[in-house]
Amino acid sequence: KQVQSNQVAAILNVVYLVAGIVAVIAIVIGGVRYTVSGGDPSGVKAAKDTVLYAVVGLVVVIMAAAITDFVIKNVAK
């Protein structure tokens, strides 16, 4: 049972790492879009939305990692 929980934890860590990298890339893309929008209101709004959604996604990934880590360490004994 311990081996299975270690395997699950390893797989989830890889998934969370990939999701975190994608979120950071989305934040960078949003920043670039904001920079090149040239003050166009619709471009600025789209760029801000991109950054906002990426940050929210990153927070969700971090919380999911914390919750699953807690469950694996305390429930799957």
Side-chain angles (χ1 to χ4, degrees), residues 11-39:
I11 292 169
L12 287 175
N13 284 337
V14 170
V15 170
Y16 296 143
L17 177 66
V18 170
I21 291 170
V22 169
V24 169
I25 290 171
I27 291 170
V28 170
I29 289 171
V32 170
R33 288 177 65 189
Y34 186 80
T35 303
V36 300
S37 68

Side-chain angles (χ1 to χ4, degrees), residues 2-76:
Q2 182 68 22
V3 173
Q4 289 177 345
S5 65
N6 287 342
Q7 290 172 340
V8 170
I11 292 169
L12 287 175
N13 284 337
V14 170
V15 170
Y16 296 143
L17 177 66
V18 170
I21 291 170
V22 169
V24 169
I25 290 171
I27 291 170
V28 170
I29 289 171
V32 170
R33 288 177 65 189
Y34 186 80
T35 303
V36 300
S37 68
D40 176 41
S42 63
V44 169
K45 181 178 180 345
K48 285 183 179 180
D49 287 346
T50 301
V51 172
L52 175 67
Y53 298 147
V55 169
V56 169
L58 189 57
V59 169
V60 169
V61 168
I62 291 169
M63 292 183 70
I67 291 168
T68 55
D69 185 55
F70 174 80
V71 169
I72 288 172
K73 287 182 179 175
N74 294 307
V75 177

